[in-house]
Amino acid sequence: MTEHEHVRVAVIGSGFGGLGAAVRLRREGVTDFVVLERAGSVGGTWRDNSYPGCACDVPSHLYSFSFAPNPDWPRSFSGQEHIRAYLEHVTDVFGLRPHLRLNSEVKVMTWDGERLRWVIETSSGTLSADIVVSATGPLSDPKVPDIPGIDTFPGKVFHSARWDHDYDLRGKRVAMIGTGASAAQIVPAIQPDVAKLTLFQRTPPWVMPRVDRAISGAERLLHRTLPVTAQLRRALLWGIRELQVQAFTKRPRELGLVEQVARRNLFRAVKDPELRARLTPDYRIGCKRILLSSTYYPALAQPNVDVVASGLGEIRGSTLVADDGSEAEVDAIVFGTGFHVTDMPIADRVVGVGGRTLAEAWAPGMKSLRGATAAGFPNWMTIIGPNTGLGNSSMILMIESQLNYMADYVRQLDVLGDRAALDARPAAVDAWNHRVQERMKRTVWSTGGCTSWYLDQNGVNTTVWPGTTTEFRGATRRVDLAEYDLLRAPAPAQPVPSGPSVRGTKKKAEAGA
Ligand code: NAP
């Protein structure tokens, strides 16, 4: 058998999740790990999304690692380039560069049940690992709808997350497809430059004003000299969102007040009643992600913008045909149509026990134990796994909870010895998901009267966490070994003891077993 390089842990992806995992592993004293990254630099979604106007709609003092505060955030909502620079900085400060394997795309990772390890084939070679931490993120693979006739379009086509900076949009007739968070930032950024902008809006979003401002030099100095002030700022931002989440998860009716603020935002910016009607949502606010923008509506009210209140249905040469039959001639199409979230391509590349892929296991719907592990995929865990997303707060809080779980998982495996693996018990996975889905019933994502990328093809919400970040923190503090089967491999050079074999068989896990 060919011997590969072997590591204790292979982390996949170098966005917030992967870099956070790397920092945490080092802090746990684990240095035998690699971070596999398909691109040539770190940053994940904050590297790939470089479209004009790209910024975060969670304040930076909350949208950053608690263990790597940045007193110098320039604005309350930082732009993509600052967040990307922050992640490069984290990579340097925490000494992660030696662990990075850039330009190493994972082609397939296969569970070796004999040796209890993952064999990982990448574009730069093969290695194996005792544990895989998959931090590929839900917003990494762009989704472009299969529009009939797209091949006949003679102009430029690209997705928001693959912006072609060499293509000059100035003076062009541009179609923007979609009205999600990406489109809402792109539209005001490009509207002044293009000759004509046609927005294909299948569903109008709810848009709240964005209260963004530069963080003054005095504030930054204060945060630098008295770090506790930055901590307080973060705590305040977190606390407000923690209180808000109850309205999303338990009392959606309370969101009516928020709808009034969003309606006023629309009325202030758009005077034409017919356009206003087209832009007014007919579902409860929060059901789809709420957009924050004070420039989106004003841009749509400009004379060079046309809002088509219908999805893009067909393309005939340079003519785009909406589902309602209206047509627009354009030079370029920008797809702001989101990502493969509930059908992540990486799932096809994870081959677990018995040769079953994660995509096959998740075909009826994504399911995991505590957002991390999946039955039949021993010693494999994901960061931002099923039902760990948030509707209103910082994903970094959820990522750090998952890092706690990962750290305890590695610790417990160490105690069990290096020839052991843990496989989530199907009953534990089902019990966790039952609890999550029971709580989901009351949430605005289920009752709000919309469809969204939070829901899978069966209409089940397999992406969002239906509680507070504090509750998730509590649920991921420790790995409960009773929720796992313990797999043991015999030591290679040892004579096989008489009695029942434990090779490749499952035992209910017990500490120190
Ligand atoms: P998205 O929210 O999934 O939006 C995709 C949009 O494409 C939707 O409006 C969808 O319409 C539309 N669409 C799909 N097919 C269409 C068709 N044939 N014709 C017309 N419209 C079509 O994607 P996203 O905007 O890239 O955002 C994804 C997530 O990334 C966000 O929810 C957020 O979590 C994150 N993000 C955050 C920020 C930020 O922090 N500011 C910025 C960008 C992205 P329907 O609504 O009818 O389905």
Side-chain angles (χ1 to χ4, degrees):
M1 184 186 289
T2 320
E3 272 310 315
H4 313 293
E5 177 193 10
H6 182 77
V7 291
R8 181 70 171 146
V9 187
V11 177
I12 305 170
S14 68
F16 267 100
L19 294 179
V23 172
R24 192 58 194 268
L25 285 170
R26 283 188 65 98
R27 289 198 158 180
E28 291 294 313
V30 180
T31 51
D32 181 19
F33 72 89
V34 292
V35 178
L36 303 169
E37 168 55 57
R38 67 181 171 187
S41 59
V42 302
T45 199
W46 292 105
R47 174 201 58 229
D48 292 342
N49 283 273
S50 62
Y51 58 75
C54 185
C56 188
D57 56 17
V58 177
S60 302
H61 281 275
L62 190 60
Y63 196 82
S64 43
F65 289 123
S66 63
F67 52 79
N70 174 16
D72 290 317
W73 286 116
R75 300 195 69 80
S76 33
F77 296 98
S78 291
Q80 173 258 348
E81 69 280 20
H82 290 111
I83 301 171
R84 187 178 178 188
Y86 169 79
L87 289 174
E88 289 280 353
H89 179 72
V90 165
T91 307
D92 287 326
V93 166
F94 290 90
L96 306 182
R97 299 255 174 231
H99 299 278
L100 283 180
R101 300 282 167 87
L102 301 175
N103 303 305
S104 297
E105 177 171 0
V106 172
K107 300 293 184 193
V108 64
M109 51 189 128
T110 309
W111 176 244
D112 176 346
E114 288 293 306
R115 303 179 82 188
L116 301 189
R117 54 173 58 173
W118 287 91
V119 178
I120 306 165
E121 293 170 41
T122 80
S123 55
S124 67
T126 301
L127 72 153
S128 58
D130 292 330
I131 303 164
V132 168
V133 178
S134 183
T136 55
L139 305 177
S140 54
D141 288 294
K143 186 156 84 182
V144 176
D146 196 9
I147 306 287
I150 193 159
D151 299 343
T152 67
F153 184 69
K156 186 76 188 170
V157 180
F158 51 88
H159 186 273
S160 55
R162 298 287 182 271
W163 197 269
D164 186 342
H165 291 277
D166 293 331
Y167 182 76
D168 191 356
L169 285 170
R170 278 177 301 182
K172 301 282 190 339
R173 297 166 302 173
V174 179
M176 177 82 231
I177 318 299
T179 51
S182 301
Q185 295 182 331
I186 294 168
V187 164
I190 66 172
Q191 173 273 320
D193 294 332
V194 301
K196 171 100 189 163
L197 181 62
T198 308
L199 177 67
F200 285 81
Q201 170 196 269
R202 203 162 62 178
T203 315
W206 282 105
V207 186
M208 294 284 283
R210 181 184 178 92
V211 188
D212 186 19
R213 65 174 181 85
I215 296 177
S216 70
E219 284 171 276
R220 292 192 229 171
L221 181 67
L222 184 68
H223 292 335
R224 230 176 293 132
T225 45
L226 268 179
V228 70
T229 59
Q231 284 165 15
L232 284 172
R233 186 177 190 141
R234 183 182 172 95
L236 188 66
L237 291 166
W238 166 78
I240 292 167
R241 281 160 184 75
E242 205 69 345
L243 292 175
Q244 284 170 348
V245 83
Q246 305 288 342
F248 288 78
T249 55
K250 292 187 181 152
R251 296 183 289 277
R253 280 209 199 124
E254 287 177 6
L255 292 164
L257 292 168
V258 189
E259 283 175 7
Q260 284 176 23
V261 179
R263 265 202 202 96
R264 261 204 302 278
N265 191 33
L266 172 62
F267 272 52
R268 245 195 321 265
V270 178
K271 303 296 170 208
D272 173 5
E274 206 274 319
L275 178 57
R276 261 187 211 165
R278 260 180 284 164
L279 295 174
T280 304
D282 63 356
Y283 54 90
R284 182 113 278 180
I285 196 168
C287 182
K288 289 166 103 74
R289 191 183 165 95
I290 300 172
L291 308 186
L292 296 187
S293 178
S294 301
T295 51
Y296 179 66
Y297 287 142
L300 295 185
Q302 295 306 307
N304 67 337
V305 179
D306 192 12
V307 178
V308 175
S310 179
L312 174 61
E314 193 187 341
I315 298 173
R316 294 188 208 126
S318 56
T319 306
L320 271 55
V321 187
D323 291 328
D324 68 0
S326 54
E327 297 184 357
E329 280 282 307
V330 303
D331 304 306
I333 305 173
V334 179
F335 281 103
T337 42
F339 299 86
H340 288 279
V341 176
T342 53
D343 56 346
M344 286 184 265
I346 189 80
D348 281 313
R349 303 177 182 199
V350 186
V351 184
V353 172
R356 190 166 182 238
T357 67
L358 189 62
E360 286 164 349
W362 281 357
M366 296 196 296
K367 243 175 92 162
S368 71
L369 176 57
R370 299 180 190 271
T373 50
F377 300 85
N379 282 8
W380 185 94
M381 69 171 59
T382 176
I383 306 292
I384 318 188
N387 292 109
T388 60
L390 292 177
N392 80 321
S393 190
S394 171
M395 275 311 296
I396 314 307
L397 299 164
M398 299 298 275
I399 288 172
E400 289 195 23
S401 294
Q402 296 216 280
L403 299 183
N404 289 342
Y405 196 75
M406 176 201 76
D408 197 49
Y409 193 103
V410 175
R411 251 181 258 135
Q412 301 227 32
L413 264 188
D414 279 345
V415 173
L416 292 167
D418 63 357
R419 306 195 64 73
L422 295 172
D423 191 5
R425 303 177 69 209
V429 175
D430 286 345
W432 171 258
N433 281 278
H434 181 72
R435 285 210 298 279
V436 167
Q437 292 305 330
E438 277 301 304
R439 291 189 62 170
M440 199 65 79
K441 286 181 183 162
R442 285 164 69 184
T443 68
V444 69
W445 308 300
S446 304
T447 62
C450 76
T451 58
S452 71
W453 65 259
Y454 299 150
L455 312 180
D456 67 11
Q457 75 280 6
N458 303 316
V460 180
N461 188 331
T462 55
T463 55
V464 181
W465 169 245
T468 61
T469 62
T470 308
E471 287 170 300
F472 190 70
R473 186 65 51 108
T476 48
R477 213 172 283 287
R478 297 261 177 280
V479 170
D480 178 0
L481 286 181
E483 294 185 329
Y484 286 89
D485 285 317
L486 171 64
L487 309 185
R488 284 273 186 208
Q494 302 283 317
V496 180
S498 57
S501 166
V502 293
R503 172 184 258 210
T505 58
K506 292 181 174 185
K507 301 166 96 188
K508 192 175 169 204
E510 292 160 27

